[in-house]
Structure formats: C-alpha cells, structure tokens
Amino acid sequence: MEQIETSSCVMVSIIIPIYNTESYLDECLQSVINQTYQDWELILVDDGSTDRSKEICIKYQEKDKRISCIFQSNHGVSYARNQGLRKAKGKYVYFMDSDDIAEPNLLEKAVDNMADLDMVYFNIVTFSENSTGCQFSKVYQGLTIFYENRKRQEFILKQYLNFKLCYFSCNKLYSLNIIKNNHISFDEKVSIGEDLGFNLTFLLYAKKIKGLPDILYRYRKRNGSAMNTVGKLQLRLNDFSLMLERIQFHAKKYGMSQAEFSLIFMKTMDNQYKKCTNRKEFKPYVQLVQNRKFLAYQTVDALSHPLRFIQVFGNAEAKMKWIDYTYIIKYLLFAWRREKE
C-alpha cells in the first residue's frame, strides 16, 4: 500500500501480545497492514503460543520489514506488552489485542488528532463470536486539560472509573515519551485489571487528552479469551490491591495528596466489592491479599473520613459502602490473627 504523506508524519509503535490466537491472527495483522496511515512499526510478542501463532508471526515478519517479532516463554500479557515497550521507537504507541480488528483509518484519525496531546481515545464496538449483536462504547468526547490535581482526580473518578473512556488500552493512542520518562508499565503481578492500572498511572502524568466520537476498533469477545476465563465470577481483591499500591507510588511522585488518592482508591475498589452478593464473600479473598498492610491503611483511612463516601458514591450508597469497608477491615484482622495462631 502506498504510504500517505502528511505534514505531521510520525512513527507509531504498535504492540500486539499473542497467545494461541491462530484463528484470528491473520485478520488482526491484515487490519494493521491495511491502515491508511502507514508510518508504523509492528512489534509482535508471542507469549509462548503452542498453536501456529509463531509461524504466522514469522510469515508476516518476512513479508514486511516494519514488522518484528519477540518470542518468549509464557509470562502473561503484561510482561509481553512491557517487552514490546522496551523495543518501541515511535513517537506514539498503540496496544492491540491479537484477536481484534482495527478499522482502516484508526491510526490516521488518532495521529491527526494528537498534535500536542498526550493521549487520544475513541469508541469501540464489541462483538461476540456466538452472537450477531454488537455493543458500542460511548466515550466522553472533547479536549480535557489537567490544570491541577483536583481536576485530574475529578476526571478519573467521574469519567475514567465510570467507563467513559473504556478501561481498555486498545482504544487509546499514547505518547511514548510520557510512558518512558515516567517509567510507566503494565503490572506483571496481576492477572486481571492491568489495563486499568496502566491507564490510571498514565492519567497522573498526562496534561492534555482528547476523546473522539469515531468507532475505530472492533473488540472480539470470545469464550477462550483471558477476559472471560480469568476471575470472571471472582473478587480479584489481591490483584486490585497490588495494582493500587503501585499507582499510589506514582501518585505521590506526581504530588497527589493522600486525600486525593483515597477517593481514587475507593472508587476503584468498589468495582470489586460490588461483585459480592453477601459480605461474607469478602473473607476468603481478603486472606489471599499479599499487601494487607497497604489495604488495611487505605481502608482505615477511608473509614476515618465518612464524607468521602458521600463524595464518591452519593448519599444513597454512602452508608452501604462504608459498611463494606468495615467488613474488609474486620476480615483483615481475622487473617492476621489466624497467621499468628
């Protein structure tokens, strides 16, 4: 395909982690090759596939000099993406899943809107291999400039954590400089929620971001995907607690206060707590938490400031959420007592 010449032609590093997706990989890679914007490098990270994925990667690498491959034993999607980041040389970086499809104008539209921005995000359509129906995302649109931490915190609470940017990384084009200069990476300790952690951290450093109304990506929801097999019905309390401790490190580094971080902590953890129909379900998951000291401190800090519950959840839910936290701290104490016996 003939390369498009633009006044702002900059290279985009596209990173695709791959694990046993031979049935979808050709369609995914072809959607990259067919982009109307052609100034890109494609980094394929095969994470120990046992099917024909490796052969397919090699085939595309031999056909196009812009495509390079990394082959490794299975370490998970976060490790694979981080490996791709270490190799990336573009001005912008884009993460794609190996069973999904990019619309032909995805890169062109995203790059044209980046200008002096740190992130551009857009709508996606989710489709299932077992259904003819599709679900469209509706992202928060327009330019957002973070003048101060309060505005940043408010945006994270009301927009990002309410799914108005989507939690995913596949609908966002990022400034690679911000990622590398601030040592942002995907958390390799967690098995679910890595996109959420990466984006929360990135938003701590971003100055200007923009939401587009365009639907530029097709997200395949399939039975064998990690999103539908890992912790589908489980409370991933350990993963989210570990992830938030890492985010707090960046929040402190950026200058965000404990009070400001606490609201983000509460809203993020609520997405886990509300999965339980009975608060007794919290107990076994609390016992699995590796960083209990962090979770205990944040939980007590929240309980000590009941007005924060109203601020985050509103009057109708505040009391119910406050009670959730009392159960969490109670089970944390039980867990410590059991270890001492």
Side-chain angles (χ1 to χ4, degrees):
M1 181 175 290
E2 183 180 352
Q3 182 169 328
I4 290 178
E5 297 293 336
T6 68
S7 58
S8 60
C9 205
V10 296
M11 189 168 75
V12 178
S13 295
I14 305 166
I15 298 171
I16 303 181
I18 298 161
Y19 182 71
N20 289 351
T21 51
E22 62 175 0
S23 300
Y24 313 100
L25 194 51
D26 275 305
E27 187 176 21
C28 170
L29 300 183
Q30 203 59 47
S31 75
V32 174
I33 291 171
N34 292 340
Q35 288 295 301
T36 55
Y37 187 90
Q38 289 280 298
D39 194 356
W40 47 260
E41 64 168 352
L42 176 57
I43 303 169
L44 305 177
V45 188
D46 184 87
D47 191 38
S49 294
T50 56
D51 63 0
R52 290 184 56 255
S53 295
K54 181 177 180 179
E55 295 174 36
I56 296 170
C57 290
I58 293 172
K59 177 183 73 173
Y60 278 87
Q61 179 179 238
E62 291 174 346
K63 288 186 350 184
D64 195 319
K65 64 182 181 181
R66 295 170 297 177
I67 300 175
S68 61
C69 300
I70 298 173
F71 300 107
Q72 62 186 37
S73 56
N74 182 251
H75 290 289
V77 65
S78 293
Y79 184 90
R81 285 175 177 163
N82 289 338
Q83 288 293 91
L85 277 174
R86 292 183 184 100
K87 190 174 181 180
K89 297 186 177 85
K91 182 175 182 180
Y92 307 131
V93 63
Y94 176 65
F95 300 100
M96 188 173 175
D97 291 342
S98 61
D99 52 355
D100 295 343
I101 304 162
E103 295 295 341
N105 63 333
L106 185 155
L107 292 181
E108 182 181 6
K109 195 78 177 180
V111 171
D112 282 351
N113 279 275
M114 273 295 264
D116 62 340
L117 304 182
D118 300 319
M119 176 204 284
V120 163
Y121 58 96
F122 43 83
N123 281 300
I124 66 174
V125 59
T126 302
F127 67 99
S128 172
E129 55 188 4
N130 299 322
S131 173
T132 56
C134 295
Q135 183 178 354
F136 295 89
S137 64
K138 294 181 180 179
V139 299
Y140 179 80
Q141 296 173 24
L143 177 68
T144 302
I145 302 175
F146 301 118
Y147 296 106
E148 58 182 359
N149 276 341
R150 177 177 288 185
K151 184 173 179 63
R152 185 186 309 277
Q153 176 208 58
E154 183 179 312
F155 183 88
I156 289 172
L157 290 174
K158 294 184 178 180
Q159 306 303 337
Y160 182 65
L161 291 177
N162 279 332
F163 207 68
K164 293 181 181 177
L165 277 71
C166 294
Y167 289 166
F168 310 132
S169 57
C170 60
N171 78 319
K172 298 170 180 70
L173 184 68
Y174 305 89
S175 163
L176 188 57
N177 276 342
I178 286 186
I179 292 171
K180 291 197 170 184
N181 291 344
N182 297 289
H183 308 289
I184 302 171
S185 61
F186 290 88
D187 195 335
E188 297 170 13
K189 292 181 181 179
V190 305
S191 57
I192 194 168
E194 67 281 344
D195 279 8
L196 186 147
F198 182 88
N199 286 317
L200 274 176
T201 305
F202 189 91
L203 287 171
L204 293 175
Y205 296 101
K207 303 292 184 184
K208 293 181 181 180
I209 65 174
K210 185 178 182 180
L212 308 179
D214 310 75
I215 299 171
L216 300 176
Y217 190 82
R218 285 184 275 166
Y219 177 88
R220 189 190 308 269
K221 189 175 182 180
R222 59 187 179 89
N223 294 333
S225 67
M227 194 69 176
N228 288 290
T229 56
V230 179
K232 183 178 179 181
L233 298 176
Q234 292 185 7
L235 186 78
R236 284 284 169 176
L237 193 57
N238 180 57
D239 285 30
F240 274 69
S241 186
L242 289 170
M243 177 184 71
L244 279 161
E245 185 173 26
R246 197 162 184 249
I247 291 168
Q248 187 192 37
F249 168 81
H250 286 278
K252 286 181 177 179
K253 181 180 171 184
Y254 188 80
M256 185 170 280
S257 69
Q258 169 58 29
E260 290 168 328
F261 173 76
S262 178
L263 299 184
I264 294 172
F265 171 87
M266 292 166 67
K267 181 66 175 177
T268 305
M269 292 308 296
D270 179 59
N271 291 327
Q272 294 302 297
Y273 297 160
K274 69 184 180 183
K275 291 180 181 179
C276 287
T277 55
N278 186 319
R279 292 186 179 101
K280 289 182 180 179
E281 294 179 53
F282 293 161
K283 187 174 181 179
Y285 297 108
V286 165
Q287 292 171 351
L288 296 174
V289 172
Q290 295 170 287
N291 60 341
R292 293 180 199 158
K293 185 176 180 180
F294 167 80
L295 183 60
Y297 177 84
Q298 297 299 330
T299 304
V300 170
D301 184 55
L303 285 168
S304 303
H305 300 85
L307 289 179
R308 289 180 188 170
F309 289 87
I310 297 174
Q311 189 174 348
V312 175
F313 305 112
N315 285 316
E317 292 186 322
K319 184 177 179 181
M320 179 177 64
K321 303 298 181 183
W322 193 88
I323 293 173
D324 283 343
Y325 275 63
T326 63
Y327 274 81
I328 292 296
I329 196 64
K330 179 175 74 172
Y331 293 139
L332 277 169
L333 293 174
F334 284 164
W336 272 312
R337 185 183 301 172
R338 282 186 62 186
E339 287 183 354
K340 290 180 180 180
E341 290 177 352

